[in-house]
Amino acid sequence: MQQLTDLVARARADADGIGSASPRVIPIRPALPLTASEGEVARILQICNACRYCEGFCAVFPAMTRRLDFGKADTHYLANLCHNCGSCLHACQYAPPHEFAVNVPQAMAQVRMQTYHDYAWPPAMGMLYKKAGLTVALALAAGLALFLVLAVAMTGSLLHEPLAGNFYAIFPHNFLALVFGVVFGWVVFALGMGTRRFWREVSPAQESAPAEVAGVRAAASAEAAHDVLRLKYLDGGHGQGCNNKDDRFTLWRRRFHHFTFYGFMLCFASTCVATLYHYLLDLQAPYALTSLPVLLGTAGGIGLVIGPVGLLWMNLRRNAAHGDIAQRPMDRGFIALLLLISLTGLALLAWRDTAFMALLLAVHLGVVMALFLTLPYGKFAHGIFRSAALLKFAIEKRLSSRLQLGGDWPPRRREQALNHV
């Protein structure tokens, strides 16, 4: 009883000190207000934190258990950590039509979209996320392609004598390098600025000593890279895959993502190798069909046909409860651009020695330019923010829990607490 009396007296003394010249405690800063979608995620996670049936499903739930409440930064972090696999929805006993109406994938998807808007750079461009639909993407691609077609028509002829695949006879190399170099630089800078703002808000360094974070960063970075490259959390947490149309599991969503991701990376590698050929080895395009740039580009193009076609097919069949249907136009617009790039690129490769090369080249470059211009303000951002969230998770789980509950305490701290009692 005496201990309780002492604790009450100490609490009153601390409270009396607030507002004085030398307060004994630091007043708590008011938390930033949550939006409706953030509030829904916080509500759902409070229920999930009490239940914990899905604790082993994916990274979201272990990260959730390290928190007792969920502020703005927590909802942003966990929403981007979610891979929208749908497994927890079908496993949840509180899912609709239960009165608790727990739908983690849908709530997370809505906040995830909000983070793309909130962290866009420059901020005014965040509105493009709400307009990055299929119609806008195709209209932009068509407009840019038409512009290049007209440019070719004004300087020559769309139908010409075969040029042995020499693209630079149509558009000079330096012109293409300058235009696409500037666009690529803008994409990297805009995405980097947005990711930097996101990371500064959710960074584990804000909750732990910098030295402690630095000590685990290398191992955590390796794990995060491994999880990103394998798309680990698209296995549903049990290895059987995601849910798509219903409660049956499928690994095809993960496979089609792999085709898309590695197809894109192979195409990027093809461009990088061709650049090295041009500037370091003084080997000028066009390159033979058996050359490394062409082989990489062909493999990447095939991957960018299989992956987007599969993802579009699954998107059209997906259960509406598995995500935010308002985002489907953005998803399909991104898929359509990827598919158009691969189809026009493969067509250009197949008919580069014909009279149609100039026309095919103009269309292909227009679609590529449309994709690059929309990368910082479309679906591509989800991969960047999710990678950052996976890095935070890999770092966070190597640090001592900030809750310091029971077994989470370091041994010496636990002994001191027990002795105090």
Side-chain angles (χ1 to χ4, degrees):
M1 185 66 182
Q2 184 60 40
Q3 289 181 346
L4 179 59
T5 303
D6 291 342
L7 287 173
V8 172
R10 188 182 305 170
R12 287 175 177 170
D14 288 342
D16 292 340
I18 297 176
S20 66
S22 56
R24 295 184 58 185
V25 297
I26 300 175
I28 298 175
R29 291 179 297 175
L32 293 174
L34 301 181
T35 64
S37 55
E38 292 167 348
E40 176 64 4
V41 167
R43 179 191 74 86
I44 287 175
L45 291 179
Q46 292 282 3
I47 298 172
C48 293
N49 219 358
C51 174
R52 300 198 178 187
Y53 179 81
C54 299
E55 191 170 349
F57 275 30
C58 71
V60 170
F61 297 100
M64 172 196 72
T65 60
R66 299 174 70 93
R67 293 155 174 80
L68 293 180
D69 58 359
F70 302 91
K72 185 177 287 286
D74 294 317
T75 61
H76 290 181
Y77 159 51
L78 294 172
N80 281 282
L81 196 59
C82 172
H83 285 57
N84 202 30
C85 72
S87 294
C88 59
L89 175 64
H90 293 281
C92 182
Q93 60 185 322
Y94 302 120
H98 191 279
E99 59 182 340
F100 287 177
V102 172
N103 188 334
V104 174
Q106 191 171 81
M108 293 292 194
Q110 292 170 352
V111 171
R112 199 159 49 245
M113 179 65 165
Q114 180 189 319
T115 62
Y116 305 156
H117 174 275
D118 290 351
Y119 297 110
W121 193 94
M125 301 294 281
M127 291 300 297
L128 292 178
Y129 279 106
K130 299 180 179 179
K131 302 180 182 297
L134 177 61
T135 302
V136 173
L138 294 180
L140 178 61
L144 290 172
L146 179 61
F147 174 79
L148 293 176
V149 167
L150 292 176
V152 172
M154 291 177 64
T155 57
S157 175
L158 290 177
L159 299 179
H160 51 77
E161 292 297 324
L163 299 172
N166 185 10
F167 303 147
Y168 301 140
I170 309 299
F171 294 106
H173 174 271
N174 290 340
F175 170 77
L176 293 179
L178 176 63
V179 171
F180 282 91
V182 169
V183 173
F184 181 74
W186 168 259
V187 169
V188 172
F189 183 74
L191 284 172
M193 291 294 291
T195 308
R196 176 175 175 268
R197 292 180 59 200
F198 173 74
W199 183 256
R200 290 181 65 181
E201 178 179 289
V202 306
S203 174
Q206 297 180 359
E207 303 158 7
S208 305
E212 186 182 6
V213 175
V216 303
R217 184 171 287 131
S221 298
E223 179 183 327
H226 175 267
D227 292 346
V228 169
L229 295 175
R230 288 184 60 248
L231 294 174
K232 175 180 177 180
Y233 294 107
L234 283 181
D235 67 354
H238 38 61
Q240 300 181 60
C242 301
N243 300 107
N244 194 64
K245 186 178 179 180
D246 47 37
D247 61 352
R248 289 176 294 180
F249 300 116
T250 175
L251 285 168
W252 279 109
R253 183 164 174 251
R254 184 182 186 184
R255 292 165 181 161
F256 288 137
H257 268 89
H258 272 132
F259 274 112
T260 303
F261 175 74
Y262 287 107
F264 184 88
M265 294 306 296
L266 285 171
C267 289
F268 183 71
S270 173
T271 302
C272 293
V273 172
T275 302
L276 293 176
Y277 274 21
H278 184 90
Y279 289 106
L280 294 183
L281 303 179
D282 197 26
L283 297 175
Q284 307 295 322
Y287 302 113
L289 294 178
T290 56
S291 65
L292 185 57
V294 174
L295 291 176
L296 290 173
T298 302
I302 294 172
L304 279 180
V305 171
I306 298 174
V309 166
L311 290 176
L312 181 60
W313 175 71
M314 298 195 77
N315 186 279
L316 292 171
R317 295 165 54 88
R318 189 151 206 211
N319 190 325
H322 288 173
D324 181 12
I325 59 174
Q327 297 180 35
R328 287 188 176 180
M330 180 181 71
D331 298 344
R332 293 170 185 174
F334 181 61
I335 292 172
L337 284 179
L338 289 175
L339 185 57
L340 282 175
I341 284 177
S342 59
L343 291 176
T344 56
L346 292 173
L348 179 60
L349 177 64
W351 286 291
R352 66 178 183 172
D353 291 333
T354 70
F356 299 99
M357 185 193 71
L359 177 61
L360 291 171
L361 179 62
V363 172
H364 178 64
L365 292 179
V367 177
V368 172
M369 182 70 74
L371 174 70
F372 271 69
L373 288 173
T374 57
L375 283 184
Y377 314 108
K379 184 65 176 180
F380 182 81
H382 87 286
I384 307 298
F385 284 86
R386 184 163 290 157
S387 298
L390 283 168
L391 177 58
K392 173 180 167 63
F393 174 67
I395 293 175
E396 184 181 70
K397 71 180 186 179
R398 288 171 165 80
L399 304 176
S400 56
S401 175
R402 64 179 179 175
L403 296 182
Q404 301 291 279
L405 298 175
D408 293 333
W409 278 352
R412 184 176 179 182
R413 181 69 182 89
R414 190 184 309 121
E415 182 180 353
Q416 290 174 347
L418 292 173
N419 290 338
H420 179 73
V421 175

